[in-house]
Amino acid sequence: TLFRSKQWYQRRVAITAGDPQAVNYVYLKVVGGEVGATSSLAPKIGPLGLSPKKVGDDIAKATQGWKGLRITVELKIQNRQASVSVVPSASSLVIKALKEPTRDRKKVKNIAHSGNITMDDVIEIARTMRTRSGAKHLSGTCKEIIGTAQSVGCTVDGQPPHDVIESIQSGDIEIPEE
């Protein structure tokens, strides 16, 4: 049995060490500014030879600007080094544009985002989300963002989001091409 376990260990080391030039991407949903549970990180990044506690601290540092919001984080792992980048969703960008005060997740539940965002905010968010959008033009991406604003529960320029979408379609509101 000793020989068998040694073989298993050698195979395991070969898998984790791998090619130093190989790049692995791991995507995680985390709460911004908080160190997540290392028990949820360990199965994803442990086999790649990284310390879950250190990576958790790096994630918390990189997401300080998104305190209290659930966002997606991309871990780029190369040569046993992890670099963290935030991949914000449309809803988290809309909620951030509302400029609400940070809240304690554990105490305040089911918050209603009843604020107002400007059309300039919508266009800025649409430019950020442009690469991940399925729309052909920026106006289509703006409509996607306004639909997200409707589901979040906020208004756009003081109007209900659906009315703004209809005025974009009719041509009353001009959206720049890029």
Side-chain angles (χ1 to χ4, degrees), residues 1-19:
T1 57
L2 178 67
F3 177 71
R4 211 179 247 169
S5 64
K6 188 175 178 183
Q7 271 186 330
W8 179 86
Y9 177 75
Q10 286 172 340
R11 262 188 278 143
R12 191 75 192 155
V13 169
I15 290 170
T16 55
D19 179 22

Side-chain angles (χ1 to χ4, degrees), residues 15 39 47 59-60 62 75 95 173 176:
I15 290 170
S39 59
I59 290 171
L75 292 175
I95 293 169
I173 297 177

Side-chain angles (χ1 to χ4, degrees), residues 17 28 30-31 34 42 50 55 66 73 96 101 109 127 138 151 154 157 168:
L28 305 163
V30 296
V31 177
E34 294 182 14
L50 295 168
V55 172
W66 301 87
V73 171
K96 190 174 183 185
K109 302 277 186 191
R127 285 194 175 118
L138 187 64
S151 69
C154 64
D157 284 336
I168 289 174

Side-chain angles (χ1 to χ4, degrees), residues 126-127 129-130 133-144 175-178:
R127 285 194 175 118
M129 296 293 293
R130 187 75 186 106
S133 170
K136 210 174 195 179
H137 303 287
L138 187 64
S139 61
T141 309
C142 284
K143 288 186 232 174
E144 288 178 5
I175 304 291
E177 268 313 302
E178 286 306 312

Side-chain angles (χ1 to χ4, degrees), residues 17-33:
D19 179 22
Q21 298 304 316
V23 180
N24 290 322
Y25 291 96
V26 178
Y27 294 92
L28 305 163
K29 278 283 250 193
V30 296
V31 177

